[in-house]
Amino acid sequence: MTFEAIYNIALEVANARAQSGEYIAPDETICVICSRTGRVYNGVSHMGVHAEIEAMRNMQTYGNEVAIESMVLIATISRSPMLPCTGCINYIISMSPENSMGYVVMPDRMISLSEMLGTGTYAPSTPFSGMPNGMPAVAPVQSGYLSGQFVQSVQYSS
């Protein structure tokens, strides 16, 4: 899926969030995942759960799928594309080994998840070219990965 196509889906989710009147935290993110079967799932970060994890959970729950083709992560307020944290990448790959061949889609290139884990040649400080509408020159990385451990503690209530 092209950057424009997957990014536009993320924008639709961001616009719906903005129009809902709900509070949007400054660090809120939206993740859109295109599965290997071509279905699209999204997730919004909340209560310490990153959007990528929520999108993967939605993929499992509503599609009984775990294999991703591509994904995009954006900041809800600025609509800027971001890179997922290492903890989220590890989680996605742990769901299916073939996910290491999945891609984070950016405006100027696609980055495989395996590259982002250091098994390739990805350089996180490489500036992006052609960022639309005044987006930052370098895609920020989502916070939440500290001291080599990704800690997630969420309690669900019915």
Side-chain angles (χ1 to χ4, degrees), residues 85-99:
C85 72
T86 306
C88 288
I89 296 168
N90 281 323
Y91 177 84
I92 292 167
I93 292 174
S94 75
M95 298 308 293
S96 172
E98 69 184 287
N99 285 344

Side-chain angles (χ1 to χ4, degrees), residues 61-129:
T61 301
Y62 300 109
N64 199 27
E65 299 185 78
V66 293
I68 75 163
E69 178 68 32
S70 58
M71 64 182 281
V72 70
L73 176 68
I74 68 167
T76 304
I77 293 175
S78 70
R79 312 303 204 267
S80 298
M82 301 176 68
L83 298 174
C85 72
T86 306
C88 288
I89 296 168
N90 281 323
Y91 177 84
I92 292 167
I93 292 174
S94 75
M95 298 308 293
S96 172
E98 69 184 287
N99 285 344
S100 64
M101 303 307 289
Y103 287 91
V104 175
V105 182
M106 297 302 288
D108 66 339
R109 65 179 176 227
M110 294 171 54
I111 307 167
S112 75
L113 294 177
S114 62
E115 281 184 279
M116 293 185 72
L117 285 178
T119 57
T121 59
Y122 171 71
S125 61
T126 304
F128 294 100
S129 61

